[in-house]
Amino acid sequence: MHEVLKLRGAAAFSATRLARLTQNVQAVLPKLKGLAAEHWYFVELNAPLAAADLERLKDLIGAHPSDKVPAGTLKLVTPRLGTISPWSSKATEIARQCGFASVTRIERGTAFHIDT
């Protein structure tokens, strides 16, 4: 039985980089009120994790989102289906080396919240 955890993470970009990206998007989409970007993690497991192990895994990958959910339409950007990103390969290997034997794969995406 495989399970996929979906975990919100922290901001994907620094404030300066996000401001620059917002300006570039506003040039194309003048009605843009706000733009936010945060990482999302997708963890495929072949066995459930205990609560303490889940917290350790969140610490390992940095899945500590802000309490505030960004406003706007969610657009999720992930690697193509069927591909395994270099980030995924490395993160999965690190998790296994840290004792997470039930982790089959970890992938990271970027969630853009576009408020118009």
Side-chain angles (χ1 to χ4, degrees), residues 1-41:
M1 168 179 129
H2 285 270
E3 176 185 2
V4 177
L5 298 176
K6 297 163 223 46
L7 306 170
R8 278 182 64 213
F13 304 115
S14 67
T16 304
R17 188 168 176 203
L18 185 61
R20 195 172 6 163
L21 181 60
T22 301
Q23 284 180 334
N24 290 339
V25 173
Q26 279 177 328
V28 179
L29 187 62
K31 293 183 180 182
L32 182 72
K33 293 182 200 171
L35 181 67
E38 60 186 8
H39 288 301
W40 273 67
Y41 301 94

Side-chain angles (χ1 to χ4, degrees), residues 7-14 18 36-41 58-59 61-68 70 108-113:
L7 306 170
R8 278 182 64 213
F13 304 115
S14 67
L18 185 61
E38 60 186 8
H39 288 301
W40 273 67
Y41 301 94
K58 286 179 179 180
D59 286 342
I61 62 178
H64 298 290
S66 70
D67 292 333
K68 182 182 172 193
R108 181 177 71 179
T110 304
F112 289 93
H113 297 268

Side-chain angles (χ1 to χ4, degrees), residues 13-105:
F13 304 115
S14 67
T16 304
R17 188 168 176 203
L18 185 61
R20 195 172 6 163
L21 181 60
T22 301
Q23 284 180 334
N24 290 339
V25 173
Q26 279 177 328
V28 179
L29 187 62
K31 293 183 180 182
L32 182 72
K33 293 182 200 171
L35 181 67
E38 60 186 8
H39 288 301
W40 273 67
Y41 301 94
F42 304 93
V43 183
E44 183 181 0
L45 302 170
N46 57 24
L49 288 176
D53 287 337
L54 177 58
E55 291 306 311
R56 273 190 341 115
L57 181 62
K58 286 179 179 180
D59 286 342
L60 179 67
I61 62 178
H64 298 290
S66 70
D67 292 333
K68 182 182 172 193
V69 176
T73 304
L74 171 70
K75 298 293 182 185
L76 185 61
V77 179
T78 61
R80 279 190 325 253
L81 287 175
T83 62
I84 298 175
S85 71
W87 186 94
S88 174
S89 298
K90 192 62 157 180
T92 303
E93 180 61 28
I94 290 169
R96 288 184 184 144
Q97 292 295 322
C98 290
F100 294 101
S102 62
V103 171
T104 304
R105 179 176 172 199

